[in-house]
Amino acid sequence: MPAFDQGLHRLYVPSESGVVTVFDEQARALVLKASGTLADNAHTVAVDQATHRVYFPLQDVNGHPVLRVEDAIR
């Protein structure tokens, strides 16, 4: 499920394959900012609107659940 950072006008789109794609909203259009592999099954993302931190709950990293926390890319 994607998440939108309203303050940075940024859309985070995760996927089952582990690829996360980031778009910036510019002039009512989405512009590719970055894309890369985060982890297998990184298909859920949440954004803290105050800090702009991005949260990825991962079900299985070396046999354990992990919450990966990333600062917003600038």
Side-chain angles (χ1 to χ4, degrees):
M1 177 169 293
F4 188 73
D5 185 323
Q6 296 175 2
L8 296 179
H9 301 276
R10 185 162 293 154
L11 179 66
Y12 295 88
V13 182
S15 67
E16 291 282 334
S17 68
V19 174
V20 176
T21 305
V22 183
F23 297 93
D24 280 343
E25 180 188 39
Q26 297 176 0
R28 299 186 53 92
L30 294 176
V31 177
L32 180 64
K33 172 95 175 157
S35 186
T37 301
L38 178 69
D40 289 341
N41 296 312
H43 55 82
T44 302
V45 62
V47 175
D48 182 322
Q49 299 296 325
T51 65
H52 307 292
R53 286 193 180 105
V54 186
Y55 298 86
F56 296 94
L58 305 172
Q59 183 176 347
D60 184 6
V61 176
N62 298 322
H64 302 284
V66 171
L67 178 61
R68 191 148 296 160
V69 181
E70 305 285 339
D71 288 326
I73 58 174
R74 300 289 176 173

